[in-house]
RNA sequence: GUGGUCGUGGUGUAAAGGUUAACACUCCAGGUUGUGGCCCUGGCGAGUGCGGGUUCGAGUCCCGCCGAUCACCCCA
């Protein structure tokens, strides 16, 4: 038997209705907030992620699916969505278009991402993200807007258990000084750090801050904090954002040790975590990346965005939509009636009524009703010898247990007057 | 990439190294005429992830591989 690839999951019809519901809700909220969908390819030049996400990040160093191609150069399945969006923005010179010179460019995407990690609860090699980016505006107003959107989206899905963690990771002006200070501090405690962090000390000392190793955590507790090093712009940015969040009644927690694993973040960085998720507890991650455009060869363009893991989001959903439920099940007895049932089914569907028939030969009425019950059909139309003779069909309401005789020609009109459900329910 | 646990019909479980692998759910057929759910009766369905080994005998023990799961790591 040929099996699917490790970490790559089939999403079967039973779950797809939940996915569709989530995606539909996302599209509604993005529309409300003025975001348009963007669709970028699953494959990009490897270079984009090395320069965008950062050569030293785990994503680039060990998690990418790389496709070597001597003709086109190395390519990679996208491990995240922000760099590709920025690439498209720069490539199509959106920044130069009149309609976006001083209006933000707001886009969202929904699609698969790929990272070669060891699968675990909430972690897959192909996973799906709903993400959004706001390009071209530096003002913390857009930071707040993005967070408001997220809050509204999650509560709209009935998700209760989440916490917004916020930090500012500074900018190219103030981070270097902090970095030096942090290194100075870490140097004194180098032998107390885990192996991993000893390596990080040189390449990316900030990452030591959110190491989960207990002894590292202890060291970090006394470490200098970036907030004592913010330049006036960063300080101001964070202060304004906090004021806006408070004005919007968005609850958040400042986590001064929140550091994100992608190099492009600056100033605002945030995560939304849930205690119901286990080790992989982040359902959303995001922040501001004002340097990204230049990193990939574009003009200076400020930006902020987030990505949300759909699998993780779905795993903490308490409400789920029902799948397909037929309005009508047609039970037929005998060959002639079966033919009649098939034709009736077709007419019902033309009228927008969902209908199912029995496909097996010679099943008793009893078993056909059983099937109708299992399908949760609202009505059963019975066709047998009597009905064929009189031209009146028996219509049974399965929810009420009542039934009546309806003339064949009037059946559609009759059902249309019955407030039928059209096949499926969304919460 | 590292470590722990696990792998039995479609699903969930059971089977001290010893008959023909059991039970529940699902599914099918019945419980007298053409009426669902509940209940009752009967039936279909696996040879135990894959490959080796130990043993008279392996679902059970050992080794390897694969997969799942949880944690580390990292992140959504």
């Amino acid at each position: 038997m040929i099996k699917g690839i490790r970490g790559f999951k089939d999403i079967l019809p039973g779950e797809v209705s939940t996915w569709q519901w989530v995606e539909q809700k996302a599209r509604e909220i993005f529309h409300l907030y003025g975001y348009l969908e963007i669709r970028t390819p699953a494959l990009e030049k490897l270079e984009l992620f090395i320069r965008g996400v950062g050569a030293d990040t785990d994503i680039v160093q060990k998690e990418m699916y790389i496709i070597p191609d001597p003709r086109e150069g190395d390519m990679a399945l996208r491990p995240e969505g922000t760099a590709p969006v920025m690439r498209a923005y720069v490539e199509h010179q959106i920044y130069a278009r009149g309609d976006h010179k001083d209006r933000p460019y707001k886009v969202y995407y929904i699609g698969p991402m790929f990272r070669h990690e060891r699968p675990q609860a909430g972690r897959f090699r192909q996973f799906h993200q709903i993400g959004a980016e706001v390009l071209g505006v530096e003002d913390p107003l857009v930071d707040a807007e993005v967070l408001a959107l997220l809050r509204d989206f999650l509560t709209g899905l009935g998700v209760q258990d989440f916490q917004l963690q916020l930090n500012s990771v500074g900018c190219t002006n103030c981070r270097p000084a902090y970095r030096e200070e942090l290194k100075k501090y870490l140097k004194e405690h180098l032998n107390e750090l885990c192996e991993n962090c000893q390596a990080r000390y040189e390449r990316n000392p900030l990452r030591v801050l959110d190491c989960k190793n207990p002894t590292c955590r202890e060291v970090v507790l006394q470490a200098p904090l970036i907030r004592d090093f913010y330049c006036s712009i960063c300080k101001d940015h964070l202060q304004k954002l906090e004021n806006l969040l408070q004005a919007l009644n968005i609850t958040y927690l400042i986590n001064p040790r929140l550091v994100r694993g992608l190099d492009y973040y600056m100033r605002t960085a945030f995560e939304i975590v849930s205690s119901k998720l286990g080790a992989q507890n982040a359902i959303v991650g995001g922040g501001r990346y004002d340097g990204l455009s230049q990193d990939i060869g574009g003009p200076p363009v400020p930006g902020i965005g987030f990505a949300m893991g759909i699998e993780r989001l779905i795993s903490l959903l308490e409400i789920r939509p029902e799948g397909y439920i037929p309005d009508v099940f047609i039970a037929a007895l005998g060959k002639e009636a079966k033919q009649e049932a098939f034709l009736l089914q077709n007419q019902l569907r033309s009228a927008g009524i969902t209908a199912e028939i029995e496909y097996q030969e010679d099943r008793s009425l009893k078993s056909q009703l059983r099937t109708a019950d299992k399908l949760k059909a609202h009505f059963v139309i019975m066709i047998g010898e009597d009905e064929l003779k009189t031209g009146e069909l028996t219509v049974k309401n399965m929810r009420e247990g009542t039934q009546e005789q309806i003339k064949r020609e009037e059946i559609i009109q009759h059902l249309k007057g019955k407030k039928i459900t059209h096949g499926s329910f969304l919460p």
Side-chain angles (χ1 to χ4, degrees), chain A residues 106-394:
Chain A
K106 302 202 286 190
V107 292
Y108 73 92
Y109 55 84
I110 300 177
M113 305 294 162
F114 306 86
R115 293 182 200 173
H116 192 116
E117 298 181 88
R118 181 102 173 240
Q120 196 186 322
R123 192 165 81 182
F124 312 96
R125 291 182 171 179
Q126 179 185 121
F127 60 102
H128 299 77
Q129 291 187 330
I130 296 174
E133 316 291 347
V134 181
L135 304 181
V137 176
E138 229 180 319
D139 197 287
L141 279 171
V142 296
D143 302 35
E145 177 190 309
V146 157
L147 293 169
L149 182 154
L150 279 167
R151 192 252 326 246
D152 292 354
F153 178 61
L154 291 174
T155 51
L157 289 174
V159 177
Q160 299 287 326
D161 186 78
F162 64 88
Q163 182 192 53
L164 170 61
Q165 299 199 356
L166 184 68
N167 191 22
S168 170
V169 294
C171 68
T172 46
N173 277 329
C174 51
R175 200 156 43 195
Y178 170 64
R179 206 183 134 106
E180 284 318 304
E181 204 58 33
L182 180 63
K183 280 183 80 168
K184 209 188 285 175
Y185 171 81
L186 291 177
K187 196 171 184 176
E188 294 164 23
H189 301 268
L190 213 50
N191 51 357
E192 299 163 49
L193 297 178
C194 70
E195 241 176 84
N196 226 310
C197 285
Q198 300 200 2
R200 283 173 178 149
Y201 164 75
E202 268 308 327
R203 308 196 97 179
N204 206 340
L206 295 230
R207 298 276 291 288
V208 177
L209 293 179
D210 65 353
C211 182
K212 284 159 193 154
N213 181 301
T215 60
C216 293
R217 294 191 91 135
E218 219 162 294
V219 170
V220 159
L221 232 47
Q222 305 297 323
L225 291 173
I226 181 126
R227 65 167 162 224
D228 299 318
F229 291 79
Y230 291 151
C231 61
S232 59
I233 296 173
C234 286
K235 203 174 191 170
D236 197 42
H237 192 95
L238 182 60
Q239 187 55 58
K240 278 184 178 155
L241 175 56
E242 288 196 58
N243 292 344
L244 290 167
L245 292 179
Q246 281 155 22
L248 290 171
N249 249 322
I250 294 175
T251 50
Y252 63 94
L253 182 80
I254 291 284
N255 175 355
R257 289 176 199 87
L258 174 68
V259 178
R260 313 233 55 252
L262 290 76
D263 281 356
Y264 49 60
Y265 287 111
M266 63 185 292
R267 295 207 183 99
T268 310
F270 59 86
E271 265 176 29
I272 295 179
V273 298
S274 171
S275 61
K276 290 190 176 162
L277 278 182
Q280 310 300 317
N281 67 344
I283 78 174
V284 179
R288 181 162 277 286
Y289 43 83
D290 295 349
L292 175 59
S293 173
Q294 290 165 93
D295 290 342
I296 63 168
V301 176
I304 182 166
F306 68 82
M308 169 162 36
I310 301 182
E311 286 86 351
R312 290 183 190 175
L313 174 63
I314 284 177
S315 74
L316 48 88
L317 242 38
E318 276 162 29
I319 338 167
R320 275 158 212 262
E322 293 243 31
Y324 170 73
I325 293 172
D327 300 318
V328 174
F329 185 90
I330 307 168
L333 292 165
K335 262 211 172 78
E336 207 183 326
K338 196 175 169 188
Q339 164 85 3
E340 191 52 31
F342 178 72
L343 296 175
L344 177 58
Q345 174 186 234
N346 190 263
Q347 287 174 21
L348 289 171
R349 287 174 174 168
S350 299
I353 297 167
T354 57
E356 292 297 319
I357 57 171
E358 176 55 59
Y359 294 97
Q360 302 298 121
E361 284 293 339
D362 299 324
R363 298 195 75 184
S364 65
L365 180 61
K366 183 185 188 131
S367 69
Q368 293 191 56
L369 278 161
R370 259 201 261 261
T371 302
D373 187 62
K374 267 173 234 151
L375 294 172
K376 299 186 187 161
H378 195 163
F379 294 95
V380 171
I381 297 176
M382 285 171 256
I383 309 178
E385 273 178 42
D386 300 351
E387 286 79 4
L388 289 176
K389 217 175 291 169
T390 61
E392 290 199 341
L393 306 185
T394 304

